Structure formats: C-alpha cells, structure tokens
Amino acid sequence: MKKLHLLTTIELNKLLKNRTITCQQLLHSYLENINKNEPKIDAFLEIYKENALTKAAQIDKLYDKGDPLPFLAGMPIVIKNNICLKNKKITCASKILENFVSPYDATVINKLEKNHLIPLGATNLDEFAMGSSGENSAFKITKNPWDFDYVPGGSCSGSAAAVAAHFAPLSLGSDTGGSIRQPAALCGIVGLKPTYGRVSRFGLVAFASSLDQIGPFAKTAQEAAHLLNVIAGHDAQDATSAPVPVPDYAQNLGQDIKGLKIGVPKELFETGIHPEVKEALVKALELLKKQGTSWEIISLNTIKYSVAIYSILAFAEAASNLARFDGIRYGFSAKDAENLDELYKKSRGQGFGDEVTTRIILGTFSLSSGYIDDYYLKAKKAILLMKKEFHEALKKYDFIVTPTSPTPAFKIGEKINDPIAMYLSDLATESANYTGLPAVSIPCGFTKNNLPIGMQIIGNHFEEGKILNLADRFQQLTDYHTKMPEFLEEN
Ligand code: GLN
C-alpha cells in the first residue's frame, strides 16, 4: 500500500472508518514525512506535535466506539499563522507579534474541533499576509515543493506548500487579494476563496477587512468541498458573516455541466500572460468544451484597474487595522523608549518589516485629508463599476475563467526588488475580493520545467457549489492533481 500521507482524505476516511488504520498511524505518517522533508521546504512556524498526538488518540477512541463521525474526523490540518488558536503563538510572521499568544480560538478553529480535525501546525506566511511570494515572512522563506529554488506564492506560502508536500492533506488560509488562490496555483493544488461573508473571520487577524476571507486548501475540489462544509456558515461574532444556509458542498458534486457558459476576460488572456500559462488554459477550456460547455472571450474592462485599486484600498485598510499594534497592547515593545511617542515609533519601527511599513505609509497617505477624495474614495467608486461589470457578465455566463496567476512560480529573489512585477502576480485574483465573488484555483497543467499552472473559476455569490462542481468535473478528466513533487517519489 502507498504511504498513508500520500492518500486522499476520501481514501483515508474509508480506512479510518473500517479501522484498517488508526488516526495515530495516519498522524505518524505525516510526522515522518515532515521530519524528513520540512527542512527542505520550511512550511511551518510551529508544529503542534504533542497536542496532535493526544487529539489523535482521543479521536481513535471515538472511531473505536463505532459512533458516526463527521467525514473529516481524524484528518490533520495545518493553519496559516494569522488565524488564532487559543494558547498558541499567533505571529502573522511578524517580529511585532513574535511572542504573542492567542487568548482565544477563531470560529473556524472551533468548527474544526467540533468536526474532530487535528490542528497539526502553524504555517508560514508573508508578514501580516502582505506579499505574493512568501519572501516577506520575518522568520523564514518557504520553498516551492516542485522546485526549491522557486517561491510557493503568497501570502499563504506555508499552507500551500504544506499541502503540496503532503505534510497535511488540508490547510486553511486567508485571501485578501489572491493569497489562497495564487499559492494554490503555484504549488499545484486547489485553493478556494469563498464568497465574502460565507466563512466567519472572527479570530482572523485583520489585514483589509472589506476583502479578507478565510478558505480551504486541498488537493482536490472534492476535499475542498468537505472542508468548506466544516468552516462555512453564519457567525454572530462576525458582523460581515452572512446568514445564508450552507448546502452540503461535497454531496452536491457530480452535477451535469452540459450547456454551462464560460466567459474568459480578454484583459487576462490576450496580453501579459506567460505563453505556457495561456496554452494550458486554452487546453483546459477546450477539454471542458468537449463535455458540453462553451467558452468565449469577453471584456471586463475594469480588471485593468485591479492593482491600482489594491494599492490604495488594501493599503488604506491595512494602515487602519495595523494601528492597534502600538507596542503596548500586543506583542513587541521597544525597550529603549523615553516617552510614549517614542515607544510607539520605536516599537512599530523595529517590529514591522519593510513591505508592511511601506503599505502603512502609503495607506495613511491615501486616507489623509486632502487626498482621501482623490485616492480612497476614487478606488471605492472604481469597485462599484467593477461590481456592475461582473454582475452583468455573470447574468450571461455561468463562470468567469482566467489564469489564476499570469505566470508560473518565479525564482526566490527574482521579483523582490520590483514591487510592480510582484503586485502584478495578483492581477487576476483581486477582482473576486473587490466584488466578494467566490473563486477557486485548480491545477490545469505544468510548464516544461515541471512547475504547476493554475486556472481560476469565478462564480456568482454563494455559488461555491457550482464552481467546485466544475472544478471536480475537470479533475475527473485530468491527472494534474495526482502528480507529486519529485522528492516525495523517493520516499
Ligand atoms: N498578494 C497580495 C498582497 O500582497 C494579496 C495578499 C492576500 O491576499 N492576503 O497583498
């Protein structure tokens, strides 16, 4: 039999249920793989080994009793370190929170607990989720499991790399401008940003509150659907959470896709797209066409403003949200300050990294009196136009499909001194955050250098089920998601 950590949760569920394997054996298989390969990848900021072992033993007892358990019971899951777990460090990969311990659990963590999943570790990220390569972590650089010289994408660098490296079958991330989908694409896995309001953000450290959303990573759409079942739903503790009923996303897969219409915006197809990415996308669209769907090029003109809007809106909200890190209430406090003003300045100056500092300064500028109309309010108006445009398009088409990222993974260090090139990584993903629409990235090919390529499927509000159904259908027709990074094959 294959090593347990190489199986899917669908296969594992059967083996756990019929007691061919125990949760503890499963966990040991993952821990062995982590022991051997984590030094090459650096996906984790912390591994909760002891807690996980205790939990696995408890869940084994439940399985032994024969009570019906939730589908994902006993599955390890790793968590981006901007989602709070009680009594665990919540650093956001920032020096300012280096030793800060969370006093409470995020709602999604409570939901994982209720469903008997096993939190196995905290994953690395770009500091405060700001970045597209993982290189902005204050602690370490996560490597792409497909080639260690390449970035895994960001900001969920560790969550995406951990699943691609089979350190855990599932992970959680957050997505403000593409942080789940872009690393999913670069690491060859599935990453879903749900509709704004679908998943509670209580206990997620805020970056840009009008855009942030928590979502799942998995290797298949089917497994992502199971994890979405666990984390979705209204939460009175998050005022932006939506009181919309949660369907059974996993149960509803397998619907016919015949007759469904796909619009492909030319703004993300005709220029600025790496030729191998475009080629893979066309091949994928043609494959779906053979199943009875149709696709055509459309225009979504406002997409070209995406990056500009982001650098105003996301930075402004970040400047406001990060004001709470003042050197007094949370985490790091500068030692050598002589008065209160100096304490603020020194704590923030020494605690935040360069990218975060840049964004706070730019965000504060675009919110300042005299400039707010020209920048912040204009960005808000541009979003209204974008919402209208996407709304019209989704009346005509069932899905909007784009490359997830204009390029495959790039080399570590390649874009770090070129912020524009770095920000362009999110060109295709940001619009789903502005419009609040759900969007999934799934593997749709490989470059000649064996780097994964992702395709993004955007659907209408609360139509996660529909986009996962198309994604699942595509995965039944292809085997990109079953391929493994080379180092795992030696295992
Ligand atoms: N890469 C984008 C950024 O740099 C998006 C990050 C995110 O979605 N959290 O901010």
Side-chain angles (χ1 to χ4, degrees), residues 11 25 35 85 121 128 159 169 188 260 282 303 374 440 488 490:
E11 295 162 311
Q25 282 168 332
N35 259 343
L85 260 83
F128 284 104
S159 280
L260 295 179
V282 171
I303 286 178
D374 288 343
V440 67
L488 280 168
E490 298 151 17

Side-chain angles (χ1 to χ4, degrees), residues 80 82 126 128-133 136 154-156 174-183 207 211-212 310 314-315 355 359 422-423 425-426 429-430 433:
K80 186 179 188 182
N82 62 349
D126 284 297
F128 284 104
M130 298 181 193
S132 305
S133 67
N136 295 337
S155 65
C156 299
S174 66
D175 190 312
T176 305
S179 273
I180 292 176
R181 292 159 287 155
Q182 184 256 16
F207 162 8
L211 311 173
D212 299 339
Y310 196 80
F315 294 13
E355 180 66 25
R359 292 188 186 199
M422 191 70 95
Y423 293 164
S425 295
D426 306 308
T429 45
E430 287 165 347
N433 299 83

Side-chain angles (χ1 to χ4, degrees), residues 291-457:
Q291 305 300 310
T293 67
S294 60
W295 70 277
E296 59 186 347
I297 302 289
I298 61 171
S299 175
L300 291 170
N301 191 40
T302 51
I303 286 178
K304 64 173 186 271
Y305 303 119
S306 282
V307 176
I309 296 172
Y310 196 80
S311 343
I312 295 167
L313 190 80
F315 294 13
E317 292 189 31
S320 156
N321 272 324
L322 270 57
R324 67 180 59 128
F325 302 108
D326 53 8
I328 298 170
R329 285 175 292 177
Y330 306 92
F332 174 73
S333 194
K335 296 284 162 289
D336 49 349
E338 283 180 3
N339 54 47
L340 186 61
D341 216 34
E342 226 182 87
L343 179 68
Y344 291 150
K345 282 186 191 152
K346 288 197 168 170
S347 302
R348 287 168 67 83
Q350 294 164 28
F352 290 133
D354 289 349
E355 180 66 25
V356 175
T357 305
T358 304
R359 292 188 186 199
I360 291 173
I361 293 170
L362 290 173
T364 306
F365 173 78
S366 58
L367 286 176
S368 56
S369 85
Y371 295 102
I372 191 163
D373 290 351
D374 288 343
Y375 295 103
Y376 182 76
L377 293 178
K378 208 164 176 180
K380 280 288 205 193
K381 285 181 194 158
I383 287 181
L384 285 181
L385 291 177
M386 184 180 276
K387 281 187 174 161
K388 211 168 140 216
E389 206 174 39
F390 274 68
H391 181 70
E392 290 302 319
L394 284 166
K395 275 195 209 153
K396 279 201 213 129
Y397 300 93
D398 296 281
F399 309 103
I400 296 165
V401 169
T402 76
T404 307
S405 160
T407 68
F410 42 93
K411 281 210 161 136
I412 292 172
E414 188 180 325
K415 296 191 181 175
I416 199 72
N417 294 318
D418 187 350
I420 303 285
M422 191 70 95
Y423 293 164
L424 278 171
S425 295
D426 306 308
L427 180 65
T429 45
E430 287 165 347
S431 43
N433 299 83
Y434 303 143
T435 53
L437 296 167
V440 67
S441 176
I442 56 169
C444 74
F446 284 89
T447 65
K448 286 181 208 81
N449 296 340
N450 205 30
L451 290 169
I453 298 171
M455 162 167 80
Q456 175 177 234
I457 307 168

Side-chain angles (χ1 to χ4, degrees), residues 6 122 139 175 208 263 271 295 403 421 486:
L6 300 180
F139 306 127
D175 190 312
T271 49
W295 70 277
E486 225 168 74

Side-chain angles (χ1 to χ4, degrees), residues 20-262:
T20 309
I21 63 165
T22 64
C23 301
Q24 294 168 86
Q25 282 168 332
L26 177 60
L27 184 60
H28 279 294
S29 181
Y30 283 109
L31 285 169
E32 229 172 79
N33 182 30
I34 292 170
N35 259 343
K36 194 160 147 198
N37 294 311
E38 164 66 0
K40 298 176 200 147
I41 312 272
D42 279 326
F44 288 100
L45 291 177
E46 191 177 347
I47 298 173
Y48 310 138
K49 187 174 163 188
E50 293 313 314
N51 292 50
L53 286 168
T54 311
K55 194 129 223 144
Q58 287 165 356
I59 301 168
D60 271 332
K61 282 200 186 121
L62 297 177
Y63 268 115
D64 287 338
K65 272 209 269 173
D67 296 344
L69 291 175
F71 189 85
L72 294 177
M75 305 297 169
I77 181 164
V78 295
I79 293 139
K80 186 179 188 182
N81 201 216
N82 62 349
I83 299 174
C84 289
L85 260 83
K86 193 173 175 175
N87 298 331
K88 296 284 178 217
K89 273 197 218 164
I90 171 88
T91 68
C92 298
S94 178
K95 279 200 187 131
I96 209 158
L97 289 177
E98 190 162 3
N99 296 308
F100 185 71
V101 173
S102 170
Y104 68 97
D105 275 328
T107 297
V108 288
I109 300 299
N110 284 328
K111 286 176 178 263
L112 297 182
E113 299 277 336
K114 269 199 203 106
N115 282 269
H116 304 296
L117 282 100
I118 305 177
L120 175 55
T123 52
N124 196 18
L125 63 151
D126 284 297
E127 185 177 0
F128 284 104
M130 298 181 193
S132 305
S133 67
E135 292 163 293
N136 295 337
S137 166
F139 306 127
K140 49 169 81 163
I141 296 180
T142 301
K143 289 35 159 223
N144 190 313
W146 294 89
D147 187 329
F148 306 142
D149 291 336
Y150 284 75
V151 303
S155 65
C156 299
S157 50
S159 280
V163 170
H166 292 248
F167 292 160
L170 304 164
S171 67
L172 286 184
S174 66
D175 190 312
T176 305
S179 273
I180 292 176
R181 292 159 287 155
Q182 184 256 16
L186 272 45
C187 289
I189 60 169
V190 173
L192 169 76
K193 182 202 82 76
T195 308
Y196 187 75
R198 175 76 298 183
V199 176
S200 167
R201 298 174 304 139
F202 178 74
L204 167 72
V205 178
F207 162 8
S209 308
S210 73
L211 311 173
D212 299 339
Q213 185 59 194
I214 292 178
F217 285 99
K219 270 182 222 75
T220 60
Q222 194 184 0
E223 293 171 279
H226 279 288
L227 185 50
L228 185 62
N229 277 350
V230 171
I231 60 173
H234 179 245
D235 175 18
Q237 282 178 296
D238 173 359
T240 62
S241 144
V244 174
V246 183
D248 185 332
Y249 295 107
Q251 205 62 46
N252 292 343
L253 297 176
Q255 311 285 329
D256 198 359
I257 59 166
K258 260 196 211 90
L260 295 179
K261 289 193 205 142
I262 297 170

